[in-house]
């Protein structure tokens, strides 16, 4: 018997599919079997559109480093938040969405009850230890009938999932490598954030957490 198999917290005693709220479902380890393909895609995208720390409209440098792939990418600067077909840093279109990304996002959306999801934007977020994402809503996409699919890779994090108002009490959802969440229906506009990521080392990502969010933005 190998002791680690019993000591790891992300074990098989947790259900594979866990409803979090109406329209929101956690698909535990859903992306495990394609993790290396996803991370190869991340490396390929970042070689063309490097990670960068965006500035908020209020003038604060975001601690999460970001990039995008797909037809549209999320950007922020002093003028505001928006989706743009071009990387403002290079002036070129964002890199194409790798097939492994799209296939995973479509399969996860289907598993979460959203048949026919066709994402046109994938935001890549990189968290180094200490990085957090404060409570916010995602409402730059223009229409909210499609879910957001999020994929966690590398170091674990605790996700804060609140309600429709900033002051609503947030539930804490631990997310591990390979976990996928489909956020749709009434949960689509809920406030959410990420607590500071703890120091650690992951076999595939080293000292960071990578999150992919797939959206229909256009
Ligand atoms: C719940 N990213 O990029 S993904 C973001 O881990 C963002 O990088 C986080 O929030 C991250 O905007 C969380 C999970 C997520 C994404 C969108 C949501 C949860 C959501 C929209 C509504 C409710
Ligand atoms: Fe968000």
């Amino acid at each position: 018997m190998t002791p680690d198999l019993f000591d790891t917290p992300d074990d098989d005693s947790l259900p594979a599919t866990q409803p979090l709220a109406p329209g929101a479902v956690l698909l535990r380890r859903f992306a495990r079997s394609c993790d290396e393909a996803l991370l190869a895609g991340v490396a390929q995208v970042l070689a063309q559109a490097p990670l960068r720390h965006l500035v908020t409209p209020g003038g604060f440098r975001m601690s999460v480093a970001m990039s995008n792939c797909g037809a549209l990418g999320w950007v922020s600067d002093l003028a505001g938040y928006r989706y743009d077909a071009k990387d403002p840093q290079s002036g070129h279109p964002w890199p194409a969405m790798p097939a492994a990304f799209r296939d995973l996002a479509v399969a996860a959306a289907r598993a979460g009850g959203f048949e026919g999801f066709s994402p046109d934007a994938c935001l890549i977020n990189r968290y180094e230890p200490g990085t957090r994402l404060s409570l916010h809503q995602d409402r730059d996409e223009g229409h909210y009938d499609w879910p957001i699919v999020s994929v966690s890779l590398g170091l674990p994090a605790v996700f804060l999932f609140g309600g429709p108002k900033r002051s609503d009490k947030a539930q804490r959802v631990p997310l591990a490598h390979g976990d996928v969440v489909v956020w749709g229906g009434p949960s689509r506009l809920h406030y959410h954030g990420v607590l500071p990521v703890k120091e650690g080392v992951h076999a595939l990502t080293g000292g960071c957490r990578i999150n992919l969010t797939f959206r229909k933005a256009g």
Side-chain angles (χ1 to χ4, degrees), residues 54-137:
L54 298 174
V55 173
T56 66
F60 295 97
R61 173 189 189 264
M62 296 185 72
S63 68
V64 181
M66 299 179 168
S67 186
N68 293 279
C69 61
L72 293 169
W74 186 83
V75 293
S76 175
D77 59 22
L78 294 174
Y81 307 122
R82 64 193 170 278
Y83 281 90
D84 201 313
K86 284 181 177 168
D87 176 353
Q89 198 162 287
S90 67
H92 298 306
W94 294 104
M97 195 181 291
F101 281 31
R102 177 180 305 281
D103 291 349
L104 185 273
V106 168
R110 179 179 297 128
F114 295 88
E115 181 67 43
F117 183 50
S118 178
D120 55 13
C122 173
L123 173 64
I124 301 174
N125 290 336
R126 188 210 48 206
Y127 297 76
E128 289 183 310
T131 302
R132 62 192 288 269
L133 190 62
S134 53
L135 271 190
H136 66 278
Q137 290 173 295

Side-chain angles (χ1 to χ4, degrees), residues 123 125 127 136 138 159 183 187-188 192 209 211 215:
L123 173 64
N125 290 336
Y127 297 76
H136 66 278
D138 290 10
F159 184 75
W183 311 91
S187 78
R188 175 64 183 77
H192 57 277
R209 169 177 188 259
N211 183 266
R215 303 140 192 273

Side-chain angles (χ1 to χ4, degrees), residues 35-48 69 95-96 98-101 124 212:
D35 55 2
E36 295 193 23
L38 294 176
L39 287 165
V42 169
Q44 199 185 310
V45 169
L46 298 185
Q48 298 168 257
C69 61
F101 281 31
I124 301 174
L212 309 176

